[in-house]
Amino acid sequence: MDPLFDRINVRDLLSGHDLSDPSTPLSTPDLRASSSAASNPTLFISNQNVSGILSLISDRPIDVEIRKLVDEIGRTTKEAREKREMLGLLKIIVGICERLEGARSAFSDGRLRFAAEEVKELKKALRIGDEEEGEPIVYGLLRKQWADLFDEMQDLFSKFMENAVRFEQDSRTIRVKYKLCVDKMDGIELHTVMEAMDVAGILDYSLAKAADLIIKHAITPAVSYGSPAMFAEDVNQGSEGISEAVLKILPSQDCKIVDVDGDAIYARVIQVIKFIFKHICFENGSWIRSFGRLTWPRISDIIISKFLSKVVPEDASKLVDFQKIVKCTSEFEFSLKEMMFLSASDGKDYRLSSFSENVEVHFAFRKKTEVLGKARNLLLQCDFSVPQDYTSKGRLLKNDGMAINSSNQVVDLIFSSERCVVSKAASQLMELVHQTLQDVCLSSARVALEFYHAVRDAILLYEAVIPVKVKLERQLDGINQVAILMYNDCLFLSQEILGLAFEYRTDFPDSIKEHAVFADMAPRFHLMAEEILQRQIQIVIFNLREVIDGADGFQNTHQMQQFESAKFSIDQAVFILEKVHIIWEPLLRPSTYKRSMCMVLESVFSRITKDILLLDDLAAEETLQLQRLIHMMLDNLSSLLKSLISAFDSNEKSEEDTSRPIDDLIPSLRKIRKLGELLDMPLKSITSAWESGELMSCGFTILELKDFIRAIFADSTLRKECIWRIENVSLY
């Protein structure tokens, strides 16, 4: 504050002036003297001076002089008032500074209540929390000093409470000291500390650590379901009264105690709270209420999680027995209200009664948790294995006359004439869903609503768990049955979801019939199924392209080394296709198998055909070797091609139009077969085949055919004539 005083000259606040200085403002006595002096000379004015006086008045009107005089008086008065206000402000600032220092000294001297009262009053004087813009900077400085003092006060009281309430791990004892010693302040009464904290309005803050300690080491063991702790109180009495109080925490002698009725658990909690009420809060209603506000939300959560939630009935037949728990819970909270630990008017404090009285909802919540837990475990344990008694010889059609597979992994598709094989997890998940929906139909509205949400959440768990699981295990990066079973799972779930509303809606409680919706989940599973299948197809095609790249465009196959390289690439491609055939055919629906395999074969045949047609100079031996490679590949794939031809050899037609001839589904198959024939066909025969439209129907273009002829046949009149005939036909 010294710099502030140095900037103010108190002499400026005095009213004395030097009248000889014409610039000095006049005071009221000066003004009176000037007015008398101005009036006396008028007594001596004669007639001869009238003209002079008139001249004087006309040159300097008197009202102008008076106006200037009034302005000077106003300025002087304003300056004096401002200086008086500044002095008043300085007196206030000095007073606040002295009170701040006095409060700090009082804390050091152990006069805690006085110091707390000062801090509280200074908070009002400085309008803490009610600041305004444009205030003097010094107010901000004073508030900063107050905030620092307040922080020091909080720290000091926290130290007092840490010294007052301690937990001794070795003896498992909570010890409350009545005489405290902190920072060289010895002999401070705990009651005095509590009073000072209450006055300062920081009772909740300072009791926080003590509350944590008591909840952790006393309340939690008291509520432990099955093996609760016991308590013993003791008081050390000295010559000057009680010096400390002790709460010993004793382990239960019977580790198999089950407090189903709740009486014993609630009695132990009340014993702990009574100890707090008597030895920490000194039976002060306001203090125990503050302690209750601070601890009750956590205590009630502990009681709910460790006791009440564990005795919620597992079925409706046990709801009657739970009414005993409801009764003793209500009596427990009433006892706490009598001690003023709970508010008599705030209904939010009665959380335990609210929980126990709403047991029907909690019963449903528990069941929902069980359903979701079972669903999650099923999905996490999923290994995508195929049933051992399942074989690939039978088709997955519902009415084909074959014996139905006994495995629950072979499932019917509701909106299809086909079956498919799904993972055990997907099959069991839908069994769980159907069981839960049957409970929905038999439950009250509140329980049914929880079960309905449990069904939706359980189904969506597949989307949340399985993709992450297989991604972490990198099971979708190769050619295997995991991807196919996932595709079938998603297809199965999407169709089952669509059928749920039709199967159960009419039996749902009326209150949820309008709200129960399942169809919104079906598209996401259908989309997931297609994405998985397309990803698997692309992986197969990529692997096939890599091995065909090893054939080096099928160049120079008349040379033994080049022929062996090309043959090895063809063999690898056939191996991959057979592997896909073995995995896909028994697991996929016939329609899906046919469509997917045709896409893969089309990519292989079109690539090989394209590479051969790009060759620009073929020797006679080379054409025979290329023909040999084509025939060898088609022979090795004969069983695979037969599986596609027989995929829909049944009385029923699939919903997909995949019953067309195999050559229509794989256009490049007809083309590569014809290419094998063209490799040893005479030029005239080739030309006739083009003119008849046979080659065009196989997918050959005029440019491909002309380049092919030039690559095989030497330049001659006959070649030119044939090319002309081919071009001529193409004009029509």
Side-chain angles (χ1 to χ4, degrees):
M1 297 305 297
D2 292 339
L4 183 63
F5 284 115
D6 292 341
R7 291 197 297 267
I8 299 175
N9 189 350
V10 181
R11 294 179 178 275
D12 293 341
L13 304 178
L14 301 178
S15 60
H17 305 284
D18 185 3
L19 295 179
S20 64
D21 185 356
S23 62
T24 302
L26 294 175
S27 63
T28 301
D30 296 335
L31 181 61
R32 290 196 185 99
S34 298
S35 300
S36 299
S39 61
N40 288 336
T42 59
L43 298 176
F44 304 101
I45 296 176
S46 63
N47 293 333
Q48 293 88 346
N49 296 327
V50 172
S51 60
I53 293 172
L54 291 175
S55 176
L56 180 62
I57 293 174
S58 62
D59 292 341
R60 294 187 64 187
I62 193 169
D63 57 339
V64 174
E65 295 293 331
I66 294 174
R67 187 179 300 110
K68 289 182 179 180
L69 185 61
V70 170
D71 290 342
E72 289 293 330
I73 294 171
R75 282 194 294 271
T76 303
T77 304
K78 180 180 179 182
E79 290 175 0
R81 182 173 62 252
E82 290 176 349
K83 291 176 180 179
R84 284 195 301 272
E85 291 175 353
M86 180 62 73
L87 282 176
L89 176 61
L90 289 174
K91 291 179 180 179
I92 294 173
I93 292 171
V94 170
I96 291 175
C97 290
E98 291 175 348
R99 292 182 68 182
L100 286 169
E101 290 300 323
R104 183 173 278 106
S105 298
F107 279 125
S108 301
D109 298 340
R111 294 175 291 133
L112 303 182
R113 183 183 179 91
F114 169 77
E117 289 175 345
E118 282 290 276
V119 170
K120 183 178 180 180
E121 291 298 324
L122 287 170
K123 180 180 180 181
K124 295 179 181 178
L126 291 171
R127 301 200 305 275
I128 304 296
D130 189 26
E131 295 82 357
E132 297 179 358
E133 293 185 4
E135 291 180 336
I137 297 176
V138 69
Y139 277 7
L141 298 174
L142 292 173
R143 291 189 181 109
K144 176 64 170 58
Q145 290 189 33
W146 181 90
D148 293 341
L149 178 61
F150 186 80
D151 291 341
E152 293 173 12
M153 176 183 67
Q154 284 188 316
D155 292 340
L156 178 63
F157 284 136
S158 295
K159 291 178 181 179
F160 272 118
M161 293 309 301
E162 289 178 14
N163 183 253
V165 183
R166 294 179 177 271
F167 175 73
E168 297 175 356
Q169 184 66 47
D170 295 340
S171 59
R172 294 187 58 78
T173 299
I174 295 177
R175 193 176 301 277
V176 180
K177 294 171 59 178
Y178 278 44
K179 297 283 187 179
L180 309 177
C181 177
V182 171
D183 294 343
K184 299 181 181 180
M185 287 182 283
D186 195 6
I188 303 297
E189 295 280 350
L190 175 59
H191 188 277
T192 302
V193 173
M194 293 291 292
E195 282 184 333
M197 293 190 301
D198 189 17
V199 169
I202 60 170
L203 203 57
D204 290 357
Y205 176 87
S206 302
L207 288 174
K209 289 187 178 180
D212 290 342
L213 183 148
I214 291 171
I215 289 175
K216 179 179 179 180
H217 298 292
I219 297 295
T220 301
V223 180
S224 181
Y225 182 70
S227 56
M230 309 300 288
F231 301 97
E233 296 182 39
D234 192 13
V235 174
N236 293 333
Q237 189 84 29
S239 59
E240 299 180 0
I242 298 176
S243 60
E244 66 177 11
V246 173
L247 182 68
K248 295 182 179 179
I249 304 165
L250 308 174
S252 173
Q253 296 179 354
D254 186 357
C255 61
K256 297 182 180 180
I257 293 176
V258 178
D259 293 304
V260 177
D261 59 2
D263 289 334
I265 283 181
Y266 291 143
R268 289 191 293 273
V269 175
I270 288 177
Q271 183 181 3
V272 174
I273 294 175
K274 283 184 176 179
F275 178 83
I276 298 167
F277 180 58
K278 183 176 181 180
H279 298 293
I280 296 179
C281 297
F282 298 96
E283 299 183 352
N284 184 300
S286 174
W287 297 351
I288 192 64
R289 181 69 197 98
S290 179
F291 199 91
R293 283 194 304 269
L294 185 65
T295 60
W296 180 240
R298 293 169 59 191
I299 293 176
S300 57
D301 284 342
I302 292 171
I303 294 174
I304 289 172
S305 63
K306 292 187 173 294
F307 170 57
L308 289 178
S309 63
K310 295 183 181 298
V311 295
V312 170
E314 296 182 358
D315 55 67
S317 63
K318 297 182 179 180
L319 289 175
V320 176
D321 295 335
F322 192 79
Q323 294 304 312
K324 297 178 182 178
I325 302 292
V326 175
K327 181 180 178 182
C328 67
T329 299
S330 177
E331 293 172 350
F332 168 65
E333 289 183 332
F334 181 79
S335 299
L336 297 182
K337 183 179 70 173
E338 285 188 324
M339 279 192 292
M340 290 173 284
F341 187 81
L342 298 184
S343 170
S345 58
D346 191 353
K348 294 181 180 179
D349 278 353
Y350 302 98
R351 303 176 67 197
L352 302 184
S353 295
S354 177
F355 181 94
S356 59
E357 290 169 0
N358 291 323
V359 66
E360 188 179 55
V361 175
H362 300 298
F363 167 71
F365 177 78
R366 180 171 181 171
K367 278 294 186 181
K368 177 181 177 180
T369 304
E370 290 179 1
V371 169
L372 294 180
K374 288 180 180 178
R376 182 177 292 276
N377 289 335
L378 288 174
L379 296 172
L380 290 175
Q381 294 170 10
C382 178
D383 58 359
F384 291 100
S385 60
V386 177
Q388 293 181 355
D389 59 345
Y390 180 75
T391 64
S392 61
K393 296 180 180 180
R395 304 186 195 100
L396 294 173
L397 294 174
K398 295 179 182 176
N399 301 318
D400 59 359
M402 65 172 284
I404 297 177
N405 196 300
S406 60
S407 172
N408 59 0
Q409 290 182 244
V410 181
V411 297
D412 292 332
L413 298 176
I414 297 177
F415 300 101
S416 172
S417 61
E418 300 168 293
R419 298 190 185 102
C420 69
V421 181
V422 299
S423 68
K424 185 182 292 185
S427 174
Q428 293 178 344
L429 176 64
M430 285 313 302
E431 288 180 5
L432 181 63
V433 165
H434 285 290
Q435 291 172 4
T436 307
L437 287 176
Q438 291 170 7
D439 291 339
V440 170
C441 299
L442 301 175
S443 302
S444 65
R446 299 172 75 182
V447 175
L449 185 61
E450 289 294 327
F451 284 178
Y452 159 70
H453 287 298
V455 167
R456 285 184 59 92
D457 293 345
I459 294 173
L460 293 176
L461 272 177
Y462 186 97
E463 181 185 21
V465 173
I466 293 298
V468 176
K469 174 181 170 65
V470 297
K471 184 176 181 180
L472 292 174
E473 298 172 359
R474 303 183 65 84
Q475 293 178 304
L476 295 182
D477 296 338
I479 302 172
N480 54 57
Q481 67 187 31
V482 173
I484 303 305
L485 286 175
M486 275 190 68
Y487 164 78
N488 288 346
D489 285 356
C490 294
L491 182 67
F492 168 63
L493 291 174
S494 68
Q495 295 205 10
E496 285 289 311
I497 289 168
L498 288 174
L500 292 178
F502 297 102
E503 187 173 357
Y504 295 103
R505 186 186 295 274
T506 55
D507 296 324
F508 281 172
D510 293 337
S511 59
I512 69 168
K513 282 183 179 179
E514 298 179 359
H515 305 288
V517 178
F518 299 102
D520 61 305
M521 297 187 291
R524 62 203 303 172
F525 282 96
H526 183 77
L527 180 62
M528 192 190 310
E530 287 302 317
E531 289 176 348
I532 292 169
L533 182 61
Q534 291 304 316
R535 174 184 171 86
Q536 184 70 184
I537 291 172
Q538 293 305 314
I539 289 174
V540 173
I541 292 175
F542 176 79
N543 289 341
L544 289 168
R545 285 175 179 171
E546 279 195 326
V547 299
I548 294 173
D549 286 342
D552 195 22
F554 298 96
Q555 300 181 76
N556 302 318
T557 52
H558 59 291
Q559 300 175 7
M560 183 57 66
Q561 184 177 358
Q562 292 298 110
F563 175 79
E564 291 298 330
S565 176
K567 180 178 179 297
F568 180 72
S569 295
I570 293 294
D571 290 342
Q572 282 187 306
V574 171
F575 175 80
I576 292 174
L577 289 170
E578 280 299 331
K579 179 181 179 181
V580 172
H581 172 210
I582 293 171
I583 294 174
W584 286 9
E585 186 182 17
L587 299 180
L588 286 173
R589 295 180 301 162
S591 58
T592 304
Y593 166 69
K594 187 173 184 178
R595 170 169 56 88
S596 303
M597 185 58 78
C598 286
M599 291 176 62
V600 171
L601 290 173
E602 173 65 21
S603 70
V604 175
F605 295 152
S606 62
R607 168 65 187 279
I608 295 174
T609 303
K610 178 183 176 183
D611 285 354
I612 294 175
L613 289 175
L614 287 175
L615 297 173
D616 56 0
D617 187 12
L618 296 172
E621 180 65 22
E622 195 172 356
T623 60
L624 295 177
Q625 294 291 59
L626 289 172
Q627 185 183 56
R628 179 183 172 189
L629 288 172
I630 292 173
H631 289 164
M632 181 181 62
M633 178 184 67
L634 294 176
D635 288 343
N636 291 336
L637 292 175
S638 58
S639 63
L640 190 156
L641 294 173
K642 286 180 182 178
S643 71
L644 295 175
I645 294 172
S646 61
F648 279 98
D649 185 16
S650 65
N651 294 328
E652 292 192 38
K653 185 178 180 180
S654 169
E655 67 274 10
E656 301 182 32
D657 187 17
T658 52
S659 57
R660 295 180 294 162
I662 193 67
D663 288 351
D664 290 345
L665 296 174
I666 312 176
S668 59
L669 175 59
R670 184 186 291 116
K671 188 173 183 178
I672 199 169
R673 281 174 175 164
K674 181 56 66 175
L675 178 60
E677 297 175 9
L678 293 177
L679 286 168
D680 66 349
M681 188 181 289
L683 179 55
K684 287 185 177 181
S685 299
I686 295 174
T687 305
S688 298
W690 176 261
E691 290 174 331
S692 67
E694 180 184 358
L695 296 183
M696 185 177 291
S697 66
C698 290
F700 287 92
T701 66
I702 184 172
L703 182 60
E704 288 176 338
L705 189 59
K706 287 164 60 178
D707 290 342
F708 179 74
I709 291 173
R710 292 189 180 102
I712 294 180
F713 301 99
D715 189 12
S716 65
T717 304
L718 179 60
R719 192 180 82 171
K720 292 178 180 178
E721 179 185 345
C722 289
I723 290 177
W724 180 87
R725 287 169 59 185
I726 291 171
E727 291 174 342
N728 189 51
V729 171
S730 69
L731 296 175
Y732 296 94

